[in-house]
Amino acid sequence: MGKFAVVDIGSNSVRLVVYENLKRTPYVAFNEKVLCGLGGEVTATGKMSPDAMDMALRTLKRFSILMKKMGISQYRAVATAAVRDALNGPDFIKDIRRYCELDVDVINGEEEGRLSGLGVICALPTAQGVVGDLGGGSLELIAIAEGRVHESTSLPIGPLRLMKDQNANSHRIIDDALKGLGWMSAEKNKRFYAVGGAWRALAKLHMAMTQYPLINLHHYAIPFKDMMELCEYVAGKTPEEIQTKHNFSSRRLKVLPLAALTLQKVLQKIKPTEIIISGYGLREGLVFESMAPDVRAQDPLLQSCREMAEMTGRFPEHGRRLKKWIDVLFPNETAEDAHLRLAICMLSDVGWRGHPEYRAERVYSDILYSRFLGLDHRGCAITGLALYVCYGGTAGKSTTRIAETLLSDQEIQYAVCIGIALRLAQRISAGTERGLKAVTLSVTDDNIIELALKPGKEDLINEVVEKRLTNLGRIFEMETQIAEPV
C-alpha cells in the first residue's frame, strides 16, 4: 500500500498533501500550501487573474515534480469554486494538464460539500449535525449523521467573493443565500462542525482570549453563546482594529470580519449546542473515499492506538486483555468512557523505550499534543494523565496542569484510577497478555480488591506488586488482599 496524494486547487490556496498510505488513520508525510489567490478577481471580472494563474501553474508544476520524486502513482487533484466559476477556468485546466501533467477534476459545490462532510466523518465517525466548510469563494453546508452525508448545499458566499460588496450589501447577500434551506430546520440544537482556515482563525482567537491551555484546534469545542459573541465582536471590527490586539497574516485578516459575519448568520439559523472545529475536511474526504470499504468501517481511535502500539510497544495485542482484566474496577462507566479506557490500555506500553526517569513526561506530552482521530480534548487529557500515572507520575504536579485544567475533579480521579490499575497490571504481567492469565483481579462481596493466583504462580507476587496493589486500594478507598491459590 503506497503513498496517496491530494492536490487541492482552492480559491485562496493551492495545496499538496501526501499521506503515507490509505489506512484508516491517514498520516501526513508531506504538506505544502501556497497562497495563489485564484478567486481574488473572479467576482469582479468573471475571470482569474493572469498573475494568480501563473503562480498556481508554477506551484502545481512543483507539486507534480515532487510527486514523481516520491514515486506517487495514486492521487486525486480537484479544483473548487474559483476554477469552476471563472470564465477562463476551462483553459486553465487545459494548461494544468499540459504543463503540469496532472489530471484535475473540477468538482461542483454539492460534491465539494459531500467530500467535506466525509472528511469530518473520517475523523469523527459518530458526528451528527451540520458541517460548514467556508472557502474563499463558497460556503458548503452539509448534514451528517450515522456515518453518512445526508444533505449538501453550496452557496456563493465565500469571503473573497463578498469582499466586493463588503459592509452594506454583505448582510443582505448572506441572508438571501441562506433562505430556502428547508433541510436545515431539522438540524437545530445539534452540533456544528466548522471547517476552513478562516473559521479556524476565529477559534484560535477564542483560544487566545480565554487563555485555553492547548493550541490544537482540531476538535476544539466552543459553546454557541460564546461563538456568537466572538462573531459579533470580530464582524464589527476593521482588519486594522483586530490586528492591534491579535497577530494574523494580512491575507487572513482581510477576510476575518466577513468570515465571522457568515458564521454568525449560519449559527443564528440552526442554533447548535456547540461549535466543533474540525481539522479534517475536503482533502481527508478524498482520502476517506479512496479507502477500501472494510478500512473505512474500522474504528479510527482504536486503529490509531493499534498502529502506535505496533510501532512503539512490546506486545501490541495486550490492550484488550488489560482492559478486560481491570473492568471489575469500573462497573459504572459510560460506554464512551469504556471505549476511551480501551484506547488507554492499548497505549499503555508505548512509552517503555524512553529513559526511565522521563517516561512519564514523554508519554504524557506525546498523547496530550497528538491528534488522534476520534479523540476530543477531554479524551486526550484523560489519556495523557492516565498514562502519566501508569509510568510513575503523580497527578497534581505542575507537569500535569494542562491536562487537569481541561478536566473536572471526577475526571481527574477517573484518569488516576486507570493509571494506577494499569501500573499494577503491567508489573504483574511484564507487559504480556499471557502474564495476566495467571492472576485474577476481582472485587469481593465485602468490597475488597482481591488478587487470586493460579497454583504454582505464587512467586509472581513480590514486594513491588504488593505495594502497587496497596496503592490501588488507596486510590479506590478499598481494602486489598491476596487470596491463597486453590
Side-chain angles (χ1 to χ4, degrees), residues 20 24 40 52 68 116 135 155 181 204 225 228 255-256 280 298 315 369-370 373 403 450 461 481:
E20 289 185 354
R24 184 59 181 83
K68 289 176 182 176
S116 293
L155 305 173
L181 297 182
K204 186 177 180 181
K225 182 175 180 292
M228 290 295 288
V255 303
L256 209 55
Y280 287 65
Q298 293 172 350
F315 308 100
Y369 302 119
S370 67
L373 297 193
E450 181 179 86
I461 305 301
Q481 66 185 25

Side-chain angles (χ1 to χ4, degrees), residues 373-421:
L373 297 193
L375 196 62
D376 60 12
H377 289 196
R378 169 188 178 270
C380 280
I382 289 176
T383 303
L385 183 57
L387 294 179
Y388 178 78
V389 172
C390 175
Y391 279 93
T394 303
K397 301 293 181 66
S398 59
T399 304
T400 59
R401 180 188 61 81
I402 290 177
E404 293 181 38
T405 300
L406 297 171
L407 303 174
S408 67
D409 290 345
Q410 184 177 2
E411 289 168 334
I412 292 171
Q413 180 71 5
Y414 178 64
V416 172
C417 286
I418 295 173
I420 292 293

Side-chain angles (χ1 to χ4, degrees), residues 166-225:
Q166 199 162 358
N167 299 324
N169 292 329
S170 296
H171 287 264
R172 176 183 56 79
I173 293 170
I174 298 171
D175 287 337
D176 288 347
L178 292 174
K179 288 179 181 177
L181 297 182
W183 62 263
M184 289 184 66
S185 62
E187 302 300 324
K188 291 183 178 180
N189 301 315
K190 298 180 182 180
R191 285 175 168 172
F192 182 82
Y193 300 88
V195 178
W199 284 350
R200 284 195 295 271
L202 287 175
K204 186 177 180 181
L205 180 58
H206 186 265
M207 281 182 166
M209 295 172 69
T210 58
Q211 297 183 315
Y212 192 73
L214 289 180
I215 60 173
N216 179 13
L217 287 166
H218 180 61
H219 217 302
Y220 179 55
I222 305 175
F224 169 68
K225 182 175 180 292

